[in-house]
Amino acid sequence: MSLRDRPLKHWGWGYADEQPSAGELRSAAAGLREHLGFGWEVPELPAALPALRASRLTAPTPLAEICSAQNGIRARHSYGRSYRDVVRGFRGDYPDPVDLVCTPRSEAEVEAALEWAVDAGAAVIPYGGGTSVVGGVEPIGLDGYAGVVSLDLGALDRVLEVDEVSLSARVAAGASGPRLEAGLAERGLTLRHYPQSFQHQTLGGAIATRAGGHFATRHTHIDDFVESIRALTPTGWWESRRLPGSGAAVSPDRMLLGSEGTLGVITEAWVRVRRRPRFRASASVRFKSFWDGARAIREILQAGFGPANCRLIDPDEARLTFAGDGTAALLLLAFESAHHEVEPELALSLECCRDHGGRWDSVRGSDRSGDPSGAWRDAFLRAPYLRDTFVAMGVISETFETAITWERLPEFHASVTAATRSAVDEICGSGRGSVTCRLTHVYPDGAAPYFTVLAPARRGAELQQWDAIKAAASDAIIAGGGTITHHHAVGRDHRPWYDRQRPEPFARALAGAKTAIDPSWSLNPGALIDRP
Ligand SMILES: Cc1cc2nc3c(=O)[nH]c(=O)nc-3n(C[C@H](O)[C@H](O)[C@H](O)COP(=O)(O)OP(=O)(O)OC[C@H]3O[C@@H](n4cnc5c(N)ncnc54)[C@H](O)[C@@H]3O)c2cc1C
């Protein structure tokens, strides 16, 4: 099904017809309140969508058919889906909406729309699935422009061509995860890039944000799957050659990967696909401490193994997600292949776990029935829906992520946790709420810690509360030598810390490149870099 075929909520996650009723919300809230120990007894209901500020832009006749200034559509395109976004949408708070949403159905229409918008002096924000959690699609601080156009690629959503010899596929940028996988499944192929936002994220958005998928090792970022990219800049097409590898100077693909809509509108890409896995083996391993688990993982990775799943959850997070009782850290370890049995790799990896005190009940083969890690996996995929419920019941629920090398990980984890915990204590009440961690992606030389904050909210003060917690966490990340994002991207929310992280000559090079291909700085201004 295309992203356009079913009405989406204008504020939270997913489809309008999936929003729980008031009664369902009340019983969910009661259960969650008991589990967490806080949250409002009577959940708030989402505000009706208010009338938005009048649009400052009118599409010319040839584009009128693919442009909309309708309230709900503009509202949905004005925020991503971070906690801050959901809270504001939930309360009907849209002070600065986009003016027009343009949904081209062909590359020719992308060209026409971009040309018109640039000539009209508008800012243009490329839009995929709108699942950004970093303010990537939000029109902030764009006063110098005649208006803001959200250029929605969602109607370009097909698998266009498959090369079964080289195992690559040409895919239109607006293809959502399910759409893309359905197009490949017809041929027994798969991309197997499953971020938690899989249902609504698009390929173009993934490329523009350097998204991280479910693979915990080796093919972690979308970067690893991209063979070539085609994008439209205000000064012409940028298209790279399909190559398995190349040493020809700075890579044009690398420059578009993570460009966050600032350099070009990605319209399609060739991606490396694979045959669907037939062989699987997995186990859930318990460790007395998070650090015993971390040492086991490091040994597995440094021995050269590449498990598809290798997620280590701390004891508190295991308890909060109903995956454990809080007395042990939990490692979800899985191997897969389309080609050969993977039990031997799992067996050797489990030996590493045993050496660090790991214990497991059973090993699961290709038959997934009775898989006890299923509880965690289900919680992982349900989380986006649950977060809307958390907003309604007064629970701050948000995540942040980073990466760091192994030798610094323990100290870094301690300092980031302490800074975040003390901010939660100060802002939400001493000892209330939780700050938990899991390692989502791991490498031979380090790991990506992913933190979750659950804390009591004060009605109407949620944004200030979260902003203060997030600032404390981000300061600690940068001070500790980590990256402000491992896979969520920079957007507008991470700018102050990204600016501290990136080398200054690189910032000038990026601004120079943008000026060369986007002389009027029309494309997503304010994301990544400011106009010099
Ligand atoms: C519940 C939830 C779970 C998430 N889980 C993950 C996860 O597991 N891994 C992960 O990496 N991220 C995750 N995210 C973040 C988000 O899904 C990713 O950043 C995703 O890649 C954004 O894709 P999108 O199509 O929704 O892009 P959008 O949100 O529409 O846009 C994101 C950025 O990309 C630009 N952009 C979008 N399309 C194009 C295009 N065609 N050409 C040029 N620029 C474009 C936009 O201008 C913007 O700067 C999650 C978000 C949520 C809400």
Side-chain angles (χ1 to χ4, degrees):
M1 174 179 283
S2 157
L3 277 179
R4 312 293 141 204
D5 294 344
R6 201 173 151 197
L8 289 154
K9 276 197 230 174
H10 70 82
W11 59 277
W13 185 255
Y15 297 104
D17 57 21
E18 283 171 344
Q19 169 61 15
S21 67
E24 285 166 336
L25 258 184
R26 262 196 304 278
S27 44
L32 287 170
R33 204 175 120 80
E34 195 184 321
H35 187 56
L36 297 176
F38 53 86
W40 302 325
E41 260 168 50
V42 182
E44 188 178 334
L45 294 178
L49 179 64
L52 302 184
R53 180 192 68 198
S55 172
R56 296 166 294 178
L57 296 169
T58 308
T61 312
L63 293 175
E65 208 188 331
I66 55 164
C67 289
S68 171
Q70 200 236 324
N71 242 12
I73 294 179
R74 284 171 64 204
R76 183 157 55 75
H77 286 75
S78 297
Y79 291 141
R81 288 297 174 264
S82 68
Y83 172 73
R84 308 181 85 252
D85 299 331
V86 176
V87 169
R88 289 178 292 173
F90 184 80
R91 299 253 160 76
D93 183 17
Y94 293 96
D96 250 334
V98 299
D99 293 282
L100 211 56
V101 177
C102 197
T103 310
R105 297 158 300 189
S106 64
E107 281 194 341
E109 288 184 348
V110 176
E111 267 183 322
L114 185 62
E115 191 182 335
W116 163 72
V118 171
D119 285 352
V124 179
I125 303 183
Y127 184 98
T131 65
S132 167
V133 283
V134 293
V137 294
E138 183 178 346
I140 305 176
L142 301 180
D143 295 343
Y145 293 83
V148 181
V149 174
S150 177
L151 190 53
D152 182 336
L153 277 291
L156 302 176
D157 65 351
R158 270 154 227 285
V159 173
L160 302 164
E161 197 177 340
V162 174
D163 171 351
E164 293 193 38
V165 177
S166 305
L167 283 188
S168 329
R170 183 162 71 94
V171 182
S176 64
R179 187 81 172 171
L180 191 160
E181 284 297 331
L184 294 175
E186 288 167 13
R187 316 216 187 191
L189 298 173
T190 173
L191 181 63
R192 284 190 82 60
H193 174 78
Y194 292 108
Q196 196 180 34
S197 49
F198 172 78
Q199 194 180 10
H200 297 288
Q201 180 214 43
T202 64
L203 178 65
I207 293 173
T209 57
R210 302 186 66 189
H214 82 298
F215 281 113
T217 71
R218 293 188 183 154
H219 317 283
T220 55
H221 282 95
I222 192 76
D223 309 26
D224 302 320
F225 300 92
V226 170
E227 192 174 73
S228 74
I229 304 176
R230 181 170 158 83
L232 181 66
T233 77
T235 47
W237 285 97
W238 174 326
E239 185 171 8
S240 58
R241 292 183 174 204
R242 278 186 67 204
L243 296 167
S246 170
V250 176
S251 156
D253 293 336
R254 283 264 156 206
M255 201 151 169
L256 286 176
L257 281 156
S259 57
E260 301 194 21
T262 61
L263 296 180
V265 183
I266 298 162
T267 57
E268 57 180 59
W270 277 92
V271 287
R272 302 184 175 104
V273 297
R274 60 185 63 214
R275 300 207 164 82
R276 301 178 79 74
R278 288 189 301 134
F279 303 99
R280 292 189 182 88
S282 63
S284 308
V285 186
R286 295 179 305 280
F287 291 92
K288 270 198 189 128
S289 86
F290 189 64
W291 299 110
D292 288 341
R295 277 187 287 275
I297 293 180
R298 176 158 60 88
E299 197 176 319
I300 292 168
L301 269 284
Q302 290 179 349
F305 293 109
N309 200 356
C310 188
R311 279 163 203 261
L312 180 67
I313 308 166
D314 77 16
D316 281 345
E317 186 156 320
R319 183 184 61 79
L320 283 166
T321 53
F322 300 97
D325 61 6
T327 59
L330 191 66
L331 172 64
L332 307 172
L333 190 60
F335 287 83
E336 63 176 39
S337 167
H339 185 259
H340 54 266
E341 295 286 355
V342 287
E343 264 101 355
E345 289 159 74
L346 178 66
L348 287 167
S349 301
L350 286 174
E351 286 308 312
C352 297
C353 294
R354 194 194 306 277
D355 291 346
H356 295 277
R359 296 283 173 270
W360 58 96
D361 296 328
S362 60
V363 167
R364 292 170 298 282
S366 296
D367 168 19
R368 307 296 288 270
S369 57
D371 178 350
S373 67
W376 178 82
R377 219 180 14 248
D378 289 350
F380 178 71
L381 292 173
R382 268 201 323 271
Y385 292 97
L386 191 59
R387 210 189 32 193
D388 293 0
T389 304
F390 278 145
V391 168
M393 60 173 285
V395 174
I396 295 173
S397 157
E398 186 55 299
T399 62
F400 61 90
E401 37 79 64
T402 176
I404 191 88
T405 47
W406 286 118
E407 92 288 0
R408 291 177 293 169
L409 178 62
E411 198 184 323
F412 179 75
H413 173 273
S415 64
V416 174
T417 305
T420 313
R421 182 66 256 179
S422 112
V424 171
D425 283 347
E426 191 182 316
I427 291 147
C428 306
S430 185
R432 308 203 68 204
S434 61
V435 179
T436 58
C437 182
R438 59 184 187 243
L439 302 183
T440 55
H441 300 83
V442 282
Y443 303 87
D445 55 342
Y450 185 101
F451 295 86
T452 299
V453 176
L454 292 172
R458 279 197 312 282
R459 207 182 293 261
E462 292 96 334
L463 294 194
Q464 292 91 314
Q465 285 183 293
W466 172 247
D467 288 350
I469 296 167
K470 172 78 177 183
S474 302
D475 285 343
I477 284 173
I478 293 300
T483 172
I484 193 58
T485 174
H486 171 265
H487 58 266
H488 279 171
V490 174
R492 292 166 181 78
D493 297 356
H494 283 153
R495 271 298 303 285
W497 296 277
Y498 172 62
D499 288 4
R500 281 156 64 186
Q501 174 178 339
R502 78 177 157 204
E504 184 45 37
F506 178 72
R508 290 200 300 277
L510 194 56
K514 179 161 173 66
T515 304
I517 55 177
D518 179 16
S520 53
W521 279 61
S522 308
L523 284 175
N524 213 2
L528 288 189
I529 189 120
D530 291 329
R531 197 173 191 155

